[in-house]
Amino acid sequence: MLMRLAEKFYLTKGEKSYLLGYVVIVIAAAVLAVVIMSGLQAPYTLAIEASSFVYWVAIAGAISGGVSLYFANGWMGNAGMLGIARAIVGSVAITVMASVLTGTLTVPFDGTLYGPLVVLSAFIAKPWIAAIWFAATFGAHYFMSILEEERAFGIGREAHRSATSQLSTLSRAQLYHRD
């Protein structure tokens, strides 16, 4: 029983890199949410000091980054030039979804509309913010592509089960029973 439990928590190299891609996006979204909100005009100006609103903006950015990557993960991690083109579209989709979600979580009614506009204006006014964000999304694309490559070569957690998956349940129970 402990072996099965340990097998559940074992991550292959591709799964670790996939998880690292999510961590990159979550951290980048949290940091950029605080940076963008600190550059706004009143009444939403965010003074970067220890307050509950700063923490909430960072948490809202992290949540929205993770959720946005989850919804756009079909665009990320594919190989080749088509994969890069899909990653560009996925990066824009993640940006739009994350800005809408962060805006909604920080300023519930106005933020839904103004979130994408604020992010776009911040990207235009300070291109280094856009460079950091798109570097993070392409980093996540690279990390997610390691898992896709692992799956394509049949390496990983499901590799030993692929041969038996074509057998019927009865055949698997008789031939490959567990002790």
Side-chain angles (χ1 to χ4, degrees):
M1 181 173 160
L2 290 176
M3 291 299 288
R4 279 196 250 166
L5 183 64
E7 186 178 310
K8 297 271 187 204
F9 291 112
Y10 170 74
L11 296 176
T12 64
K13 179 183 175 188
E15 292 168 340
K16 287 177 187 175
S17 68
Y18 197 84
L19 182 64
L20 185 60
Y22 269 93
V23 168
V24 165
I25 290 294
V26 164
I27 290 174
V31 168
L32 290 179
V34 171
V35 168
I36 289 173
M37 287 294 286
S38 67
L40 292 178
Q41 298 297 322
Y44 300 117
T45 303
L46 183 65
I48 301 180
E49 56 189 35
S51 69
S52 60
F53 188 65
V54 174
Y55 294 138
W56 175 243
V57 168
I59 290 170
I63 290 170
S64 66
V67 169
S68 299
L69 183 59
Y70 176 76
F71 284 128
N73 68 356
W75 292 99
M76 307 299 278
N78 298 313
M81 290 306 291
L82 183 63
I84 292 172
R86 288 175 61 93
I88 292 169
V89 173
S91 296
V92 171
I94 291 169
T95 304
V96 171
M97 283 188 281
S99 63
V100 167
L101 287 172
T102 303
T104 303
L105 290 174
T106 55
V107 184
F109 296 108
D110 295 335
T112 306
L113 175 64
Y114 292 123
L117 297 174
V118 167
V119 169
L120 180 64
S121 65
F123 283 177
I124 291 171
K126 299 174 186 171
W128 60 271
I129 295 175
I132 290 171
W133 175 250
F134 287 112
T137 57
F138 281 108
H141 164 72
Y142 173 74
F143 288 133
M144 294 170 91
S145 68
I146 294 172
L147 179 65
E148 295 299 324
E149 182 179 333
E150 187 176 89
R151 287 180 181 167
F153 286 119
I155 304 169
R157 185 187 310 241
E158 300 297 325
H160 66 281
R161 296 183 190 156
S162 61
T164 61
S165 65
Q166 298 176 359
L167 297 174
S168 68
T169 306
L170 182 61
S171 297
R172 277 186 267 159
Q174 290 176 347
L175 296 173
Y176 301 101
H177 59 83
R178 295 183 180 175
D179 293 329

